[in-house]
Amino acid sequence: MTHYPFTAVVGADDLSLALILITVSPSIGGVLVRGEKGTAKSTIVRGLVDLLPPHAVVEGCRFACEPGNPDPTCPDGPHGTTDAATSRPARLVELPVGATEDRVIGSLDLGKALGSGEAAFQPGLLADAHRGILYVDEVNLLHDHLVDLLLDAAAMGRNTVERDGVSISHAARLVLVGTMNPEEGELRPQLLDRFGLTVEVAASRDPLLRAEVVRRRLAFDADPVGFAEGYAAAQRDLADRVAAARTAVGHVELSDRSLATIARVCAGFEVDGMRADIVTARAAMAHAAWHGRPSVTREDIRVAAIFALPHRRRRNPFDAPGLDEDLLDRLLGDEPDDPGPDGDPEGRTHDVDGDADPVPDPGAAAPAGTQDQPQDDGSREPEPSRAADGSPQTPESRDEAANPVPDSEAPAVVPVGVAAAGTPFRARAFTLTGLGTGESGRRSRAVTATGHTIGSSTTGRGRLHLPATITEAARHRGTRGAAYGRLVLLPGDLRTAVTQGQESNLVLLAVDASGSMGARRRMEEVKTAVLSLLLDAYQRRDRVGLVTFRGQGAEVALHPTSSVEAAARSLTTLAHGGRTPLAEGLLMATKVLAREKLRDPKRRPLLVVVTDGRATAGPDALDRSRTIADAWGRTGHQSVVIDAETGTFRLGLAADLAARMGATHVPLGEVAAGAIVESVTTAREAWRAGRGGRAA
């Protein structure tokens, strides 16, 4: 298969450099590539394999043992010094998002087990990637049980399998490269820390550069072989330079002064643990070797820190990733380094081909993630809403529900405000009742591909349940004419394990954003509570959606997604004001859940309605909302109603709504200081006792 040449990719200078650094020094620990779709993330990673030098392996060893230094516990060993050696190209092994656990770590060879009765081991992808690169596209969508396996292998450098009568351990030293689109959800912090470097990429906004990207891609698609031959010389030159840097990196000097600078930078960014210091040091040495320098300079440390620290600095789950380069420069200090090999005191050589500070031209690629475009980090105040005549509205809204005005007398312009949310608090876990079958997650009980074994099945899906298989075959031992007492296994005896773990759920938030919610700072309290629920969903890898209703209708502010950061941004800019179309909000939520049920039938939903229960938009508004609530109650879906009504005199409309929906009622006064999660836990207990609703 002909890969798109690595040297033919334009517009991804930072990504190219990061990938080259891990080829120069694999001990850095891999690269995580974050960026929007269509930015050549997968293309450039797959092209990297052509730059890697071949390596020697023991002939016939399925685990790629190194001649002269074989793994003493290799399942194909022991290997001696006289074993024949051969050379093979470096491997880039792709791990599909939907791979099974057996395919990743290896499993019992069923062919030999059923044919000759031999308990032989079939190597998995971790064995194939030993001394090479393991590439995971859309790594943020990888199932949690596979993430756990990668964490173990990355931490120990070994893969250990203890299952189905097989006890195997083999070396699994690999470079992990992952690509992801942050819009589809974030990565677990434990796995994030295992990537040595991280790079943010974005498509260039330069028309000339974009045109060049299209021109090259069309040429490659028309004639892949001919296109690759056109870059063969550049590929050879780059591969030779990589090989030379791999040889030189072990001789690069890391002075005490440079080491102290690295420690100062890592401490200044308040990173956790010591892995950041180690990775930064290794990356700085690789960068120096790549540019032919005998010792690490200030610029080497700067480049290494930009790649190694953004995903390790302390930040809240909803904070935008990145690194404050002004702070980095202050931590590095202003003392110039010794001149580099080209006479540049800074040794500035970000480009791949080694030219220092090249003169920019229209076709040159802008560094990934630095295009001239506004970045929304959530710190800017939202612009005030404006009336039809262009005049700004006041940020305070009136409580229109306290004294509802007939439609015929309603003002032409409704005051609109935007309330700021407070600091979210940590929510205790809440779960749905029953046993689901949805995607693996960290919330509700479910039958999943991983977990503790609770039984066996004849469906043939999942890993082999060896004891159950043998037991079934033993039941027919006397009728199969087994010779010499040998157990005869037939295909019908096969049993697979049924395991129970945890699933992720769909949490749909339906938020009342009418004018009545803006009174007495209620909207600020509501946003704080909802942000807390989003934080919990982030940690448990749920899908979240947001429906808002105010004025005369409802809208889907955010379609269900795994990116809770997007939900948090939508909530932050949510305006409030106008009447309360409660019936429309409930109908919209019902439609969203019905649509998601068709897309993902196994994912169970939880509806959280945040309202004071008033319904003031349209004729018979209250009766319509009650009719819809009664219909929801008959579905049996689990839900929570957070009552935003406050004050001395209360109508109790939200409590009535909760009773009709079969939902748990949570007063707004219990939202602050974690009371919302106390009520959700109470709701779970009520569901289990059969008092607060019916299981989905």
Side-chain angles (χ1 to χ4, degrees):
M1 178 180 178
T2 302
H3 295 107
Y4 191 92
F6 186 90
T7 53
V9 177
V10 295
D13 292 352
D14 280 1
L15 177 54
S16 299
L17 179 58
L19 292 174
I20 285 175
L21 292 182
I22 65 168
T23 62
V24 171
S25 178
S27 61
I28 291 174
V31 176
L32 174 65
V33 187
R34 297 165 46 95
E36 59 194 22
K37 53 185 176 293
T39 49
K41 301 187 296 294
S42 301
T43 299
I44 193 170
V45 171
R46 292 189 175 99
L48 178 67
V49 68
D50 296 330
L51 303 180
L52 301 178
H55 51 255
V57 297
V58 175
E59 188 173 0
C61 178
R62 298 174 297 168
F63 301 88
C65 280
E66 182 179 0
N69 186 30
D71 179 9
T73 63
C74 176
D76 286 354
H79 301 298
T81 56
T82 59
D83 287 1
T86 186
S87 178
R88 78 174 190 189
R91 289 182 176 179
L92 186 144
V93 178
E94 296 195 33
L95 173 60
V97 171
T100 64
E101 182 178 351
D102 290 346
R103 185 68 187 95
V104 175
I105 64 175
S107 63
L108 180 70
D109 190 327
L110 289 180
K112 292 183 178 180
L114 298 180
S116 61
E118 179 184 357
F121 179 69
Q122 179 66 40
L125 296 177
L126 292 179
D128 294 341
H130 176 49
R131 301 175 65 192
I133 295 177
L134 183 65
Y135 171 50
V136 187
D137 193 13
E138 305 293 352
V139 64
N140 52 323
L141 302 182
L142 200 64
H143 293 304
D144 278 355
H145 68 285
L146 297 183
V147 171
D148 294 336
L149 298 177
L150 292 184
L151 287 174
D152 290 340
M156 306 301 297
R158 302 192 66 80
N159 176 39
T160 301
V161 183
E162 296 283 352
R163 62 190 305 174
D164 299 335
V166 175
S167 178
I168 291 291
S169 178
H170 65 83
R173 297 187 303 274
L174 49 89
V175 175
L176 187 61
V177 177
T179 57
M180 60 173 284
N181 183 351
E183 295 178 355
E184 298 173 338
E186 282 293 344
L187 201 61
R188 280 175 54 181
Q190 295 90 339
L191 182 58
L192 187 64
D193 188 54
R194 288 297 174 182
F195 286 97
L197 312 177
T198 185
V199 182
E200 296 281 339
V201 297
S204 173
R205 300 298 183 261
D206 183 351
L208 295 178
L209 181 60
R210 295 174 71 95
E212 180 62 21
V213 170
V214 175
R215 185 180 299 110
R216 295 189 184 188
R217 186 70 219 190
L218 293 178
F220 175 78
D221 292 341
D223 183 9
V225 176
F227 183 86
E229 289 177 352
Y231 286 88
Q235 291 279 105
R236 286 193 299 270
D237 292 343
L238 191 58
D240 291 343
R241 187 178 172 190
V242 167
R246 286 171 68 103
T247 302
V249 70
H251 305 288
V252 171
E253 178 188 1
L254 180 65
S255 65
D256 291 342
R257 177 181 177 184
S258 296
L259 196 56
T261 300
I262 292 173
R264 183 170 65 249
V265 168
C266 294
F269 281 102
E270 298 182 342
V271 298
D272 294 324
M274 296 298 298
R275 185 173 289 115
D277 303 64
I278 297 172
V279 170
T280 303
R282 289 172 175 169
M285 295 171 68
H287 191 263
W290 173 244
H291 292 293
R293 288 189 283 269
S295 60
V296 171
T297 66
R298 176 181 182 274
E299 180 63 13
D300 296 324
I301 298 174
R302 188 181 192 279
V303 172
I306 289 175
F307 289 149
L309 300 186
H311 59 303
R312 291 188 169 90
R313 68 178 181 84
R314 290 185 180 178
R315 64 184 181 96
N316 294 323
F318 302 139
D319 291 346
L323 202 67
D324 185 347
E325 296 194 25
D326 291 336
L327 174 59
L328 175 60
D329 289 335
R330 292 196 299 271
L331 292 170
L332 287 171
D334 297 327
E335 302 89 350
D337 290 310
D338 294 332
D342 299 323
D344 183 358
E346 293 292 335
R348 289 184 291 268
T349 48
H350 272 72
D351 58 312
V352 174
D353 60 9
D355 296 331
D357 288 326
V359 178
D361 61 77
T370 60
Q371 279 74 11
D372 187 15
Q373 55 182 329
Q375 299 292 329
D376 182 10
D377 59 2
S379 60
R380 295 184 300 171
E381 291 293 331
E383 296 183 0
S385 303
R386 296 182 178 272
D389 59 359
S391 60
Q393 296 288 351
T394 60
E396 300 296 330
S397 62
R398 299 177 180 177
D399 189 355
E400 50 84 20
N403 297 288
V405 181
D407 288 9
S408 59
E409 301 178 16
V413 178
V414 179
V416 175
V418 178
T423 302
F425 48 82
R426 185 171 296 276
R428 287 211 314 244
F430 62 94
T431 62
L432 299 180
T433 58
L435 192 63
T437 56
E439 293 285 342
S440 295
R442 304 185 65 188
R443 184 173 297 281
S444 304
R445 293 187 306 122
V447 175
T448 59
T450 59
H452 63 278
T453 301
I454 60 175
S456 62
S457 171
T458 60
T459 60
R461 298 177 181 176
R463 63 182 178 85
L464 178 68
H465 193 304
L466 190 59
T469 299
I470 295 175
T471 300
E472 180 63 24
R475 292 177 60 245
H476 305 284
R477 185 172 184 176
T479 62
R480 291 180 176 173
Y484 307 106
R486 177 178 295 178
L487 188 67
V488 177
L489 292 174
L490 297 179
D493 299 329
L494 293 180
R495 296 293 184 269
T496 53
V498 177
T499 54
Q500 179 179 305
Q502 291 180 310
E503 67 175 357
S504 62
N505 298 118
L506 169 60
V507 179
L508 182 63
L509 302 163
V511 180
D512 182 352
S514 63
S516 62
M517 299 293 289
R520 305 182 186 91
R521 303 178 64 87
R522 276 184 285 176
M523 201 62 192
E524 178 180 340
E525 296 178 48
V526 166
K527 285 189 175 182
T528 303
V530 175
L531 276 176
S532 301
L533 290 177
L534 290 176
L535 178 62
D536 184 69
Y538 165 82
Q539 294 167 337
R540 305 192 181 281
R541 304 187 69 80
D542 289 318
R543 288 177 64 83
V544 294
L546 179 62
V547 171
T548 63
F549 50 97
R550 68 182 183 92
Q552 296 297 322
E555 65 174 351
V556 182
L558 182 74
H559 290 278
T561 175
S562 297
S563 177
V564 294
E565 287 82 2
R569 289 194 297 269
S570 298
L571 185 71
T572 301
T573 58
L574 175 64
H576 58 266
R579 295 186 176 278
T580 309
L582 178 58
E584 285 72 14
L586 295 177
L587 277 176
M588 182 62 72
T590 303
K591 292 178 181 178
V592 170
L593 292 179
R595 184 167 57 246
E596 290 302 310
K597 185 69 173 178
L598 294 175
R599 293 178 177 175
D600 190 354
K602 295 183 178 181
R603 189 182 297 272
R604 296 190 291 166
L606 174 67
L607 175 63
V608 180
V609 183
V610 186
T611 181
D612 56 12
R614 291 180 171 90
T616 61
D620 301 323
L622 187 57
D623 290 339
R624 288 191 301 114
S625 63
R626 287 173 173 172
T627 300
I628 297 171
D630 290 337
W632 171 269
R634 290 190 293 270
T635 66
H637 292 311
Q638 299 181 27
S639 53
V640 174
V641 173
I642 298 177
D643 188 352
E645 187 179 32
T646 58
T648 304
F649 301 100
R650 304 186 183 184
L651 302 177
L653 297 176
D656 178 70
L657 178 69
R660 292 176 178 275
M661 295 178 63
T664 299
H665 174 247
V666 182
L668 181 63
E670 300 177 6
V671 172
I676 186 173
V677 297
E678 294 285 352
S679 60
V680 174
T681 303
T682 303
R684 177 189 62 189
E685 295 171 352
W687 280 323
R688 289 179 174 174
R691 297 191 302 267
R694 292 174 295 277

